[in-house]
Amino acid sequence: MRIRVFCILAIIFLNLIWWRGNSLSHQRIYIDLTSPNPRPLALGLQLAGEGPPQALNELREVIKNDLSYTGLFTFVDERLYLEPATSAFKPENWRPLGVDAVIKLNLRQSENRITVLSTLYDVNEGDQILKKEYSAEVGVLRTLAHVIARDIYKRFTDRDPPFEAKILFVGMHEGKRSLYIMDWDGARLRRLGITAETIISPRWSGKSRLLAYTMRQDREWLLKIIDFDTMKQKTVFRSKGLTIAGDILEKDLILITHTEMDNQDIYLLDTKNSTLKKLIGGYAIEIDPVISPDGKRLLFVSDRSGSPQIYMADITGYNIKRMTFRGGYNTSPAWSPEGDAFLYVGSVNGKNQIFLQRLDSTEAIQLTMVGNNEEPSFSPDGRFITFTSDRDGKWKIYIMRRDGSGQKALTAVAGSSPVWIK
Amino acid sequence: MKGLPKNRQNLVGNSGYLFILLALITAGTVLFSCAPRKVVQEEKAPAITQEQRLPEQKVAQPEKVTPERPEVISEKPVTVTERPLEVAKISPEAAKPKRVEFPDIYFDFDKYEIRDDAKPILNDLARWLKNNPKAGLIIEGHCDERGTNQYNLALGERRASAVKNYLMILGISSSRIETVSYGEERPLCTEQTEECWQLNRRAHFVIYE
Amino acid sequence: MRTVEGMSLLLSLFLHLSFVMILITWQMPPKRINPGFITVNLIEEGSERAPIIVNEPLSLKSPEVAPSLRPAEKERVVKPKDREIEREKVIEEALHAIEAKKRLEKLARLKAVISSTVTSKPLHEGRDISPPLQGLSSQRGTTVTSSPEEYAGIVKGIIQSNWTYPEVVKKGLKSRIVILVQRDGSLKITEFHSSGDRLFDYSVKNAILKSSPLPPPPEEVEIELRFSK
């Protein structure tokens, strides 16, 4: 009897401990964390191998500028590096510097070609996380650098940066207007061989790789389209009254502002048949149509309320809705690539400033403060905005980050109407 | 135990041993389950990097943070090229000769109505055009720099149209009048003052024959 | 005949035991102190000591956070205990520990009331206030903290201080990671629920990697970390 009792108790106690022990090892503590410290990722960049010194420098500078201008990365001063460029990666050489990742580039040159092996190491994991080889002619070294930077950016964010994009704008040449194109960082400025008395409103369609623009020649307004694949242009429309290129919807369909009977309205132009269809009209001025990224809506400027304001409509031309209510002079709308916000130019104390407004709000954030700032346009990835500013005395092309930080001039020459080409 | 029938007694006796056996089995199970913990305690901590790489393989879902395996060198390297960019030249607009000049007329901000101070000039202009039937007229509409290019082009056009309509009312045939808008593209001055802005908000006349 | 009766007896005993066990375990509180890691005596020590906040031990800005050693604690420091020692003794101690913890919490609350009138530093809301712990100053070491809540507080402080993110404005991102922290403080990521944003996941993973090794926990413990913006 006693044995029995003892055994029962023993079993009970044994199982007690076993249960408690098991539940403890599965015990889970919950910790909630919010609001990390905002701090860019710290990178190290090393180049090794053979190549002309200016090539190495250019490679280094382009990659550093591309990545740091995004605001996500910062580069640790080379003089602090502990590991020689030619040595193998060891995380303990980088941890004390607070570096998160290291880019090691290895160059090889043969005649006119440069080959670069790019390896990205994660210091905290202690391992390589990207390895890729590139080759290019020495003449396009900058493009090569942009591609390397792009892959690194993509590795960290899984997003496409605009490093390889170009910016096209209208500049001056011998007293006339001319089209110019440059890299997104302002380098390699070149003039396209188009010059005219007046050139306005260049518009790019990445889908069809077409550039539409308007020029005035022989007292006529001409609508031109350049095919960037063949680099040939053609005139698709001409008129005495004002005709301004709007967004290209499809290869043969373009939104335009056109004046008929002294009235400026928004039309759909079919370039194949040269037919015009009025989309949005009225007694007032209706101009500056920009199509939403999903192609379903458009923003435009109208002074039907008595002063120029931004309006939205369906692509059919119906459901017109006023979007801006701040101030009495709002023009120059531009969609964000996500389609959830738009930029516009509003007048503040007599000066033009750039505003960002979400579609679901009537509140707008002012992004520029100094001088006059106009013609804003989002980069294809939505993180950067190009615009024109006269803050330096003459109208030049500027760029800034989406939150208004990092404002800087891209050109030393005068320019207007910047457009992203990608 | 005594109260039970005989065969029961035997059974109970056997069950007693069974109990002890069961207890031992349980105890043994418990010991075994506890033992691994003890082992972990005594084991030295392995290197950090190895520890942390292990679970990444275990995790079922596509590990976004785990780096993609590096691209092997034997793969064809990326070749980078550039497209050439050149477009055919266009000849610029030829200049037209001028003869008579009339003063500019001015407009209010963001307006295209003809002001009273403009009417005397327009009356003179109309009279001259009637006396010179072969002459033609170009009306240029201009704006000050405020507002954006496109809007100012439209506004300039409206200004030029307004002048044209006024002259047509005065009897000038529309076929003799052309309008063009330059928006804010051709300012006469660039100071940011009301005086300068007013000078730019104008319609300019170009006579040709 | 014998075997059948024997089997049925066995079965009935097993079911009775299971029933008993379930009843007992359900009554147990979810977080229990492992027998062998007891800091019961802390309360008895110096009430004249300055009040201390322990939740965010790494933000050692307040001079009041004074990690000091209590001699009594040392005696109770964990050693790999011999499991072969009589279970009953262990059980007894466990029961004592539960009671002691309750006393500890009660006294801590009283202390909180006293300290709020004495010090200027505001007390952290919603947290138990416990006396300081040995393991504060060193990440590596064999000393121990007293309860899972306190340990959670320490871990939170460490990982939070190591968590940086390159962007300021972003939509509501959430990442959930489960780590298994072993007795020596080394950790393993056992579950990783992505936020959908690669950069965010990277920042969160780095926060954990940089925090390793953690101070040794009272027990091998699983921590679910929920990172959000």
Side-chain angles (χ1 to χ4, degrees), chain A residues 385-413:
Chain A
I385 298 169
T386 47
F387 60 103
T388 52
S389 180
D390 71 349
R391 59 185 68 179
D392 258 354
K394 69 177 177 199
W395 285 98
K396 296 193 287 197
I397 312 293
Y398 279 71
I399 192 170
M400 63 181 168
R401 286 184 283 267
R402 186 196 170 108
D403 61 0
S405 66
Q407 297 185 16
K408 64 175 185 183
L410 281 180
T411 61
V413 301

PDB file of all heavy atoms in Angstrom, chain A residues 385-413:
ATOM      1  N   ILE A 385      13.036  64.911 -57.202  1.00  0.00           N
ATOM      2  CA  ILE A 385      12.245  65.874 -57.964  1.00  0.00           C
ATOM      3  C   ILE A 385      13.196  66.825 -58.668  1.00  0.00           C
ATOM      4  O   ILE A 385      14.058  67.440 -58.016  1.00  0.00           O
ATOM      5  CB  ILE A 385      11.313  66.668 -57.022  1.00  0.00           C
ATOM      6  CG1 ILE A 385      10.328  65.718 -56.329  1.00  0.00           C
ATOM      7  CG2 ILE A 385      10.585  67.756 -57.784  1.00  0.00           C
ATOM      8  CD1 ILE A 385       9.558  66.374 -55.195  1.00  0.00           C
ATOM      9  N   THR A 386      13.045  66.954 -59.993  1.00  0.00           N
ATOM     10  CA  THR A 386      13.787  67.997 -60.703  1.00  0.00           C
ATOM     11  C   THR A 386      12.876  69.210 -60.831  1.00  0.00           C
ATOM     12  O   THR A 386      11.658  69.078 -60.850  1.00  0.00           O
ATOM     13  CB  THR A 386      14.196  67.548 -62.119  1.00  0.00           C
ATOM     14  OG1 THR A 386      13.059  66.965 -62.757  1.00  0.00           O
ATOM     15  CG2 THR A 386      15.336  66.568 -62.084  1.00  0.00           C
ATOM     16  N   PHE A 387      13.472  70.371 -60.907  1.00  0.00           N
ATOM     17  CA  PHE A 387      12.689  71.587 -61.050  1.00  0.00           C
ATOM     18  C   PHE A 387      13.596  72.690 -61.549  1.00  0.00           C
ATOM     19  O   PHE A 387      14.803  72.477 -61.736  1.00  0.00           O
ATOM     20  CB  PHE A 387      12.034  71.973 -59.718  1.00  0.00           C
ATOM     21  CG  PHE A 387      12.996  72.235 -58.576  1.00  0.00           C
ATOM     22  CD1 PHE A 387      13.288  73.538 -58.178  1.00  0.00           C
ATOM     23  CD2 PHE A 387      13.597  71.188 -57.882  1.00  0.00           C
ATOM     24  CE1 PHE A 387      14.155  73.795 -57.115  1.00  0.00           C
ATOM     25  CE2 PHE A 387      14.469  71.428 -56.837  1.00  0.00           C
ATOM     26  CZ  PHE A 387      14.759  72.735 -56.442  1.00  0.00           C
ATOM     27  N   THR A 388      13.018  73.824 -61.841  1.00  0.00           N
ATOM     28  CA  THR A 388      13.829  74.966 -62.242  1.00  0.00           C
ATOM     29  C   THR A 388      13.765  75.996 -61.120  1.00  0.00           C
ATOM     30  O   THR A 388      12.753  76.104 -60.425  1.00  0.00           O
ATOM     31  CB  THR A 388      13.307  75.593 -63.541  1.00  0.00           C
ATOM     32  OG1 THR A 388      11.908  75.862 -63.393  1.00  0.00           O
ATOM     33  CG2 THR A 388      13.515  74.672 -64.721  1.00  0.00           C
ATOM     34  N   SER A 389      14.841  76.728 -60.970  1.00  0.00           N
ATOM     35  CA  SER A 389      14.873  77.741 -59.922  1.00  0.00           C
ATOM     36  C   SER A 389      15.717  78.917 -60.368  1.00  0.00           C
ATOM     37  O   SER A 389      16.716  78.742 -61.074  1.00  0.00           O
ATOM     38  CB  SER A 389      15.447  77.149 -58.633  1.00  0.00           C
ATOM     39  OG  SER A 389      15.480  78.142 -57.622  1.00  0.00           O
ATOM     40  N   ASP A 390      15.294  80.111 -59.958  1.00  0.00           N
ATOM     41  CA  ASP A 390      16.070  81.307 -60.316  1.00  0.00           C
ATOM     42  C   ASP A 390      16.775  81.864 -59.083  1.00  0.00           C
ATOM     43  O   ASP A 390      17.174  83.031 -59.068  1.00  0.00           O
ATOM     44  CB  ASP A 390      15.170  82.366 -60.944  1.00  0.00           C
ATOM     45  CG  ASP A 390      14.231  82.994 -59.935  1.00  0.00           C
ATOM     46  OD1 ASP A 390      14.126  82.464 -58.798  1.00  0.00           O
ATOM     47  OD2 ASP A 390      13.587  84.008 -60.253  1.00  0.00           O
ATOM     48  N   ARG A 391      16.936  81.022 -58.063  1.00  0.00           N
ATOM     49  CA  ARG A 391      17.492  81.494 -56.807  1.00  0.00           C
ATOM     50  C   ARG A 391      18.899  82.032 -56.945  1.00  0.00           C
ATOM     51  O   ARG A 391      19.367  82.780 -56.107  1.00  0.00           O
ATOM     52  CB  ARG A 391      17.466  80.370 -55.762  1.00  0.00           C
ATOM     53  CG  ARG A 391      18.258  79.153 -56.189  1.00  0.00           C
ATOM     54  CD  ARG A 391      18.111  78.016 -55.197  1.00  0.00           C
ATOM     55  NE  ARG A 391      16.750  77.473 -55.193  1.00  0.00           N
ATOM     56  CZ  ARG A 391      16.356  76.456 -54.418  1.00  0.00           C
ATOM     57  NH1 ARG A 391      17.225  75.902 -53.596  1.00  0.00           N
ATOM     58  NH2 ARG A 391      15.131  76.014 -54.456  1.00  0.00           N
ATOM     59  N   ASP A 392      19.595  81.606 -58.002  1.00  0.00           N
ATOM     60  CA  ASP A 392      20.967  82.035 -58.217  1.00  0.00           C
ATOM     61  C   ASP A 392      21.060  83.205 -59.180  1.00  0.00           C
ATOM     62  O   ASP A 392      22.158  83.549 -59.603  1.00  0.00           O
ATOM     63  CB  ASP A 392      21.763  80.871 -58.828  1.00  0.00           C
ATOM     64  CG  ASP A 392      22.628  80.201 -57.772  1.00  0.00           C
ATOM     65  OD1 ASP A 392      22.659  80.731 -56.643  1.00  0.00           O
ATOM     66  OD2 ASP A 392      23.261  79.191 -58.092  1.00  0.00           O
ATOM     67  N   GLY A 393      19.950  83.749 -59.560  1.00  0.00           N
ATOM     68  CA  GLY A 393      19.980  84.873 -60.481  1.00  0.00           C
ATOM     69  C   GLY A 393      19.493  84.512 -61.871  1.00  0.00           C
ATOM     70  O   GLY A 393      18.907  85.333 -62.558  1.00  0.00           O
ATOM     71  N   LYS A 394      19.731  83.269 -62.298  1.00  0.00           N
ATOM     72  CA  LYS A 394      19.187  82.864 -63.589  1.00  0.00           C
ATOM     73  C   LYS A 394      18.532  81.490 -63.444  1.00  0.00           C
ATOM     74  O   LYS A 394      18.842  80.724 -62.533  1.00  0.00           O
ATOM     75  CB  LYS A 394      20.279  82.851 -64.671  1.00  0.00           C
ATOM     76  CG  LYS A 394      21.315  81.776 -64.530  1.00  0.00           C
ATOM     77  CD  LYS A 394      22.293  81.833 -65.725  1.00  0.00           C
ATOM     78  CE  LYS A 394      23.380  80.793 -65.538  1.00  0.00           C
ATOM     79  NZ  LYS A 394      24.553  81.054 -66.343  1.00  0.00           N
ATOM     80  N   TRP A 395      17.645  81.202 -64.372  1.00  0.00           N
ATOM     81  CA  TRP A 395      16.893  79.956 -64.293  1.00  0.00           C
ATOM     82  C   TRP A 395      17.778  78.772 -64.650  1.00  0.00           C
ATOM     83  O   TRP A 395      18.296  78.685 -65.753  1.00  0.00           O
ATOM     84  CB  TRP A 395      15.700  80.005 -65.264  1.00  0.00           C
ATOM     85  CG  TRP A 395      14.603  80.873 -64.766  1.00  0.00           C
ATOM     86  CD1 TRP A 395      14.359  82.168 -65.122  1.00  0.00           C
ATOM     87  CD2 TRP A 395      13.594  80.529 -63.810  1.00  0.00           C
ATOM     88  NE1 TRP A 395      13.269  82.645 -64.460  1.00  0.00           N
ATOM     89  CE2 TRP A 395      12.785  81.657 -63.640  1.00  0.00           C
ATOM     90  CE3 TRP A 395      13.304  79.370 -63.084  1.00  0.00           C
ATOM     91  CZ2 TRP A 395      11.682  81.672 -62.776  1.00  0.00           C
ATOM     92  CZ3 TRP A 395      12.214  79.385 -62.220  1.00  0.00           C
ATOM     93  CH2 TRP A 395      11.421  80.521 -62.073  1.00  0.00           C
ATOM     94  N   LYS A 396      17.929  77.862 -63.672  1.00  0.00           N
ATOM     95  CA  LYS A 396      18.754  76.683 -63.912  1.00  0.00           C
ATOM     96  C   LYS A 396      17.974  75.444 -63.495  1.00  0.00           C
ATOM     97  O   LYS A 396      16.967  75.535 -62.812  1.00  0.00           O
ATOM     98  CB  LYS A 396      20.053  76.765 -63.110  1.00  0.00           C
ATOM     99  CG  LYS A 396      20.945  77.925 -63.541  1.00  0.00           C
ATOM    100  CD  LYS A 396      22.337  77.785 -62.956  1.00  0.00           C
ATOM    101  CE  LYS A 396      22.310  78.099 -61.465  1.00  0.00           C
ATOM    102  NZ  LYS A 396      23.683  78.363 -60.967  1.00  0.00           N
ATOM    103  N   ILE A 397      18.514  74.275 -63.885  1.00  0.00           N
ATOM    104  CA  ILE A 397      17.868  73.024 -63.496  1.00  0.00           C
ATOM    105  C   ILE A 397      18.374  72.612 -62.114  1.00  0.00           C
ATOM    106  O   ILE A 397      19.577  72.605 -61.868  1.00  0.00           O
ATOM    107  CB  ILE A 397      18.185  71.893 -64.503  1.00  0.00           C
ATOM    108  CG1 ILE A 397      17.978  72.356 -65.939  1.00  0.00           C
ATOM    109  CG2 ILE A 397      17.358  70.654 -64.186  1.00  0.00           C
ATOM    110  CD1 ILE A 397      16.562  72.658 -66.315  1.00  0.00           C
ATOM    111  N   TYR A 398      17.441  72.248 -61.243  1.00  0.00           N
ATOM    112  CA  TYR A 398      17.776  71.824 -59.893  1.00  0.00           C
ATOM    113  C   TYR A 398      17.198  70.443 -59.624  1.00  0.00           C
ATOM    114  O   TYR A 398      16.322  69.961 -60.348  1.00  0.00           O
ATOM    115  CB  TYR A 398      17.181  72.806 -58.856  1.00  0.00           C
ATOM    116  CG  TYR A 398      18.003  74.052 -58.658  1.00  0.00           C
ATOM    117  CD1 TYR A 398      18.070  75.030 -59.655  1.00  0.00           C
ATOM    118  CD2 TYR A 398      18.717  74.264 -57.487  1.00  0.00           C
ATOM    119  CE1 TYR A 398      18.834  76.172 -59.477  1.00  0.00           C
ATOM    120  CE2 TYR A 398      19.470  75.413 -57.294  1.00  0.00           C
ATOM    121  CZ  TYR A 398      19.528  76.357 -58.296  1.00  0.00           C
ATOM    122  OH  TYR A 398      20.273  77.492 -58.114  1.00  0.00           O
ATOM    123  N   ILE A 399      17.719  69.843 -58.545  1.00  0.00           N
ATOM    124  CA  ILE A 399      17.188  68.548 -58.119  1.00  0.00           C
ATOM    125  C   ILE A 399      17.072  68.560 -56.601  1.00  0.00           C
ATOM    126  O   ILE A 399      17.801  69.292 -55.925  1.00  0.00           O
ATOM    127  CB  ILE A 399      18.090  67.374 -58.602  1.00  0.00           C
ATOM    128  CG1 ILE A 399      17.371  66.034 -58.413  1.00  0.00           C
ATOM    129  CG2 ILE A 399      19.433  67.367 -57.869  1.00  0.00           C
ATOM    130  CD1 ILE A 399      18.075  64.861 -59.085  1.00  0.00           C
ATOM    131  N   MET A 400      16.133  67.795 -56.067  1.00  0.00           N
ATOM    132  CA  MET A 400      16.039  67.633 -54.620  1.00  0.00           C
ATOM    133  C   MET A 400      15.427  66.265 -54.317  1.00  0.00           C
ATOM    134  O   MET A 400      14.890  65.610 -55.206  1.00  0.00           O
ATOM    135  CB  MET A 400      15.163  68.740 -53.999  1.00  0.00           C
ATOM    136  CG  MET A 400      13.722  68.744 -54.447  1.00  0.00           C
ATOM    137  SD  MET A 400      12.820  70.107 -53.658  1.00  0.00           S
ATOM    138  CE  MET A 400      11.301  70.118 -54.618  1.00  0.00           C
ATOM    139  N   ARG A 401      15.510  65.870 -53.038  1.00  0.00           N
ATOM    140  CA  ARG A 401      14.867  64.630 -52.646  1.00  0.00           C
ATOM    141  C   ARG A 401      13.388  64.911 -52.413  1.00  0.00           C
ATOM    142  O   ARG A 401      12.963  66.067 -52.279  1.00  0.00           O
ATOM    143  CB  ARG A 401      15.522  64.061 -51.388  1.00  0.00           C
ATOM    144  CG  ARG A 401      16.883  63.453 -51.678  1.00  0.00           C
ATOM    145  CD  ARG A 401      17.484  62.805 -50.420  1.00  0.00           C
ATOM    146  NE  ARG A 401      18.018  63.789 -49.518  1.00  0.00           N
ATOM    147  CZ  ARG A 401      19.287  64.185 -49.507  1.00  0.00           C
ATOM    148  NH1 ARG A 401      20.141  63.661 -50.371  1.00  0.00           N
ATOM    149  NH2 ARG A 401      19.709  65.077 -48.638  1.00  0.00           N
ATOM    150  N   ARG A 402      12.627  63.890 -52.376  1.00  0.00           N
ATOM    151  CA  ARG A 402      11.186  63.991 -52.294  1.00  0.00           C
ATOM    152  C   ARG A 402      10.701  64.792 -51.080  1.00  0.00           C
ATOM    153  O   ARG A 402       9.647  65.388 -51.115  1.00  0.00           O
ATOM    154  CB  ARG A 402      10.611  62.571 -52.228  1.00  0.00           C
ATOM    155  CG  ARG A 402       9.125  62.520 -52.293  1.00  0.00           C
ATOM    156  CD  ARG A 402       8.605  61.173 -51.842  1.00  0.00           C
ATOM    157  NE  ARG A 402       7.162  61.209 -51.693  1.00  0.00           N
ATOM    158  CZ  ARG A 402       6.307  60.614 -52.510  1.00  0.00           C
ATOM    159  NH1 ARG A 402       6.747  59.909 -53.530  1.00  0.00           N
ATOM    160  NH2 ARG A 402       5.000  60.688 -52.307  1.00  0.00           N
ATOM    161  N   ASP A 403      11.514  64.781 -50.020  1.00  0.00           N
ATOM    162  CA  ASP A 403      11.072  65.511 -48.828  1.00  0.00           C
ATOM    163  C   ASP A 403      11.556  66.959 -48.840  1.00  0.00           C
ATOM    164  O   ASP A 403      11.411  67.659 -47.843  1.00  0.00           O
ATOM    165  CB  ASP A 403      11.563  64.803 -47.556  1.00  0.00           C
ATOM    166  CG  ASP A 403      13.086  64.728 -47.493  1.00  0.00           C
ATOM    167  OD1 ASP A 403      13.756  65.218 -48.434  1.00  0.00           O
ATOM    168  OD2 ASP A 403      13.615  64.183 -46.515  1.00  0.00           O
ATOM    169  N   GLY A 404      12.138  67.379 -49.960  1.00  0.00           N
ATOM    170  CA  GLY A 404      12.593  68.763 -50.069  1.00  0.00           C
ATOM    171  C   GLY A 404      14.037  68.963 -49.657  1.00  0.00           C
ATOM    172  O   GLY A 404      14.579  70.062 -49.806  1.00  0.00           O
ATOM    173  N   SER A 405      14.692  67.904 -49.172  1.00  0.00           N
ATOM    174  CA  SER A 405      16.080  68.064 -48.743  1.00  0.00           C
ATOM    175  C   SER A 405      17.032  67.875 -49.917  1.00  0.00           C
ATOM    176  O   SER A 405      16.643  67.360 -50.958  1.00  0.00           O
ATOM    177  CB  SER A 405      16.394  67.039 -47.650  1.00  0.00           C
ATOM    178  OG  SER A 405      16.343  65.727 -48.184  1.00  0.00           O
ATOM    179  N   GLY A 406      18.264  68.304 -49.725  1.00  0.00           N
ATOM    180  CA  GLY A 406      19.297  68.092 -50.730  1.00  0.00           C
ATOM    181  C   GLY A 406      19.156  68.920 -51.991  1.00  0.00           C
ATOM    182  O   GLY A 406      19.572  68.493 -53.068  1.00  0.00           O
ATOM    183  N   GLN A 407      18.598  70.108 -51.908  1.00  0.00           N
ATOM    184  CA  GLN A 407      18.391  70.918 -53.105  1.00  0.00           C
ATOM    185  C   GLN A 407      19.724  71.390 -53.665  1.00  0.00           C
ATOM    186  O   GLN A 407      20.524  71.999 -52.959  1.00  0.00           O
ATOM    187  CB  GLN A 407      17.498  72.130 -52.780  1.00  0.00           C
ATOM    188  CG  GLN A 407      16.117  71.687 -52.346  1.00  0.00           C
ATOM    189  CD  GLN A 407      15.160  72.842 -52.124  1.00  0.00           C
ATOM    190  OE1 GLN A 407      15.411  73.969 -52.569  1.00  0.00           O
ATOM    191  NE2 GLN A 407      14.065  72.570 -51.449  1.00  0.00           N
ATOM    192  N   LYS A 408      19.952  71.104 -54.939  1.00  0.00           N
ATOM    193  CA  LYS A 408      21.209  71.544 -55.556  1.00  0.00           C
ATOM    194  C   LYS A 408      21.006  71.736 -57.048  1.00  0.00           C
ATOM    195  O   LYS A 408      20.133  71.115 -57.657  1.00  0.00           O
ATOM    196  CB  LYS A 408      22.330  70.538 -55.290  1.00  0.00           C
ATOM    197  CG  LYS A 408      22.123  69.171 -55.910  1.00  0.00           C
ATOM    198  CD  LYS A 408      23.327  68.276 -55.692  1.00  0.00           C
ATOM    199  CE  LYS A 408      23.119  66.958 -56.433  1.00  0.00           C
ATOM    200  NZ  LYS A 408      24.198  66.006 -56.231  1.00  0.00           N
ATOM    201  N   ALA A 409      21.845  72.605 -57.638  1.00  0.00           N
ATOM    202  CA  ALA A 409      21.762  72.874 -59.064  1.00  0.00           C
ATOM    203  C   ALA A 409      22.435  71.745 -59.830  1.00  0.00           C
ATOM    204  O   ALA A 409      23.475  71.230 -59.425  1.00  0.00           O
ATOM    205  CB  ALA A 409      22.442  74.206 -59.380  1.00  0.00           C
ATOM    206  N   LEU A 410      21.827  71.344 -60.943  1.00  0.00           N
ATOM    207  CA  LEU A 410      22.415  70.312 -61.785  1.00  0.00           C
ATOM    208  C   LEU A 410      23.184  70.919 -62.943  1.00  0.00           C
ATOM    209  O   LEU A 410      24.052  70.287 -63.522  1.00  0.00           O
ATOM    210  CB  LEU A 410      21.326  69.390 -62.348  1.00  0.00           C
ATOM    211  CG  LEU A 410      20.783  68.327 -61.401  1.00  0.00           C
ATOM    212  CD1 LEU A 410      19.716  67.511 -62.118  1.00  0.00           C
ATOM    213  CD2 LEU A 410      21.890  67.418 -60.918  1.00  0.00           C
ATOM    214  N   THR A 411      22.811  72.131 -63.324  1.00  0.00           N
ATOM    215  CA  THR A 411      23.478  72.759 -64.456  1.00  0.00           C
ATOM    216  C   THR A 411      24.095  74.080 -64.025  1.00  0.00           C
ATOM    217  O   THR A 411      23.639  74.709 -63.080  1.00  0.00           O
ATOM    218  CB  THR A 411      22.478  73.059 -65.585  1.00  0.00           C
ATOM    219  OG1 THR A 411      21.485  73.969 -65.094  1.00  0.00           O
ATOM    220  CG2 THR A 411      21.811  71.805 -66.093  1.00  0.00           C
ATOM    221  N   ALA A 412      25.132  74.437 -64.731  1.00  0.00           N
ATOM    222  CA  ALA A 412      25.675  75.775 -64.552  1.00  0.00           C
ATOM    223  C   ALA A 412      25.040  76.687 -65.587  1.00  0.00           C
ATOM    224  O   ALA A 412      24.972  77.900 -65.405  1.00  0.00           O
ATOM    225  CB  ALA A 412      27.182  75.755 -64.721  1.00  0.00           C
ATOM    226  N   VAL A 413      24.567  76.103 -66.677  1.00  0.00           N
ATOM    227  CA  VAL A 413      23.946  76.876 -67.751  1.00  0.00           C
ATOM    228  C   VAL A 413      22.469  77.062 -67.459  1.00  0.00           C
ATOM    229  O   VAL A 413      21.881  76.337 -66.659  1.00  0.00           O
ATOM    230  CB  VAL A 413      24.105  76.170 -69.120  1.00  0.00           C
ATOM    231  CG1 VAL A 413      25.570  75.977 -69.447  1.00  0.00           C
ATOM    232  CG2 VAL A 413      23.368  74.844 -69.140  1.00  0.00           C
TER     233      VAL A 413
END
